[in-house]
Amino acid sequence: MKIHIAALAVATALFTATGASADVYFTADFSGQINPGGANVMAPFSGNGFASSDPITGGFVFDSTKLPAGTGLATVNFSSFPDIGAISAATAFNFTLDGISLNLGDNLISEGPIAIQYKNGQFNGFSFVGDFAFNGSEYQLRIGGQSVSVKLLDGVPNVFDTFGFPTGNSLINAKINIGDANLTNITPFDPNAVAANPAVPEPSTWAMMILGFVGIGFMAYRRKQNGSALTAA
């Protein structure tokens, strides 16, 4: 990851030096799996498509100008990205484990905003809480750093979650590999290019269009005048 961080720092400096936006974005993919060995994969998930060592896939956007310096844990909320409104929820953050698929739009803001977690200046996971339905019941998936857990919700609405609080033991335990240079497909991303409207003409095009409209109007006027002269004759 140190190599990645150094490369991103260089890329950020180049983007800034060329007059681009002060915020420089990248997309990246991550992976993981349900913990091998003694991992919890309990009913109703066990025997219903979930098993130890099942893979996790996901992707996210990050702002390279917000990579924290120093030691210890630090988080950067997705909401702090100036251009987050131009980035789709599925592009900003997506997470899939077998039949469980969640994205930024599924995050329970009342439980805490989604954030990227860093440790000693390196990627270390996420902070994410989201609910999903499975076999007629509601469950909560929670990511804390690199750890992933799934618990049953008690069904009693509260101020944080209409499906209730998580209860009992974790029914699935998993881990994502986001640190130690495990990110893949790191690619520059321009949210403004995605949001831009390519149909808006350039100023020179507008000028040509206006001249064309004037010419068409003049020709129509001449035809009308010639028609009136012929009628009078």
Side-chain angles (χ1 to χ4, degrees):
M1 180 55 68
K2 291 181 180 178
I3 296 176
H4 286 166
I5 294 295
L8 292 174
V10 172
T12 301
L14 289 174
F15 271 93
T16 304
T18 55
S21 170
D23 293 272
V24 182
Y25 299 94
F26 291 83
T27 58
D29 295 332
F30 61 90
S31 61
Q33 65 183 69
I34 295 179
N35 295 338
N40 287 335
V41 184
M42 303 174 65
F45 300 99
S46 58
N48 280 294
F50 296 84
S52 178
S53 76
D54 279 357
I56 292 171
T57 59
F60 68 109
V61 169
F62 63 92
D63 184 344
S64 63
T65 65
K66 295 184 179 296
L67 296 174
T71 60
L73 290 175
T75 58
V76 175
N77 293 343
F78 281 80
S79 60
S80 71
F81 298 168
D83 300 293
I84 191 61
I87 306 173
S88 70
T91 300
F93 175 81
N94 61 83
F95 175 96
T96 300
L97 167 59
D98 289 339
I100 303 174
S101 293
L102 299 171
N103 59 50
L104 180 72
D106 299 312
N107 179 237
L108 298 177
I109 301 300
S110 58
E111 291 274 5
I114 181 172
I116 302 171
Q117 185 185 94
Y118 297 88
K119 184 177 182 180
N120 300 330
Q122 299 182 32
F123 291 101
N124 192 62
F126 301 97
S127 175
F128 177 90
V129 180
D131 293 351
F132 66 95
F134 184 79
N135 279 7
S137 297
E138 292 289 337
Y139 297 84
Q140 187 173 95
L141 183 146
R142 183 180 294 265
I143 304 176
Q146 299 184 28
S147 298
V148 181
S149 64
V150 172
K151 288 188 175 184
L152 176 68
L153 294 171
D154 62 19
V156 180
N158 58 67
V159 295
F160 299 107
D161 194 329
T162 56
F163 296 109
F165 286 115
T167 182
N169 296 323
S170 179
L171 304 177
I172 295 179
N173 287 333
K175 182 179 180 181
I176 53 176
N177 304 314
I178 191 174
D180 304 323
N182 288 314
L183 293 181
T184 58
N185 300 324
I186 300 178
T187 307
F189 177 77
D190 185 354
N192 296 311
V194 174
N197 183 0
V200 177
E202 296 292 330
S204 59
T205 306
W206 275 115
M208 294 294 291
M209 290 172 63
I210 291 171
L211 287 173
F213 291 144
V214 170
I216 293 171
F218 180 74
M219 291 174 64
Y221 172 78
R222 289 293 301 272
R223 287 196 183 100
K224 183 177 180 181
Q225 290 296 102
N226 290 337
S228 297
L230 290 173
T231 302

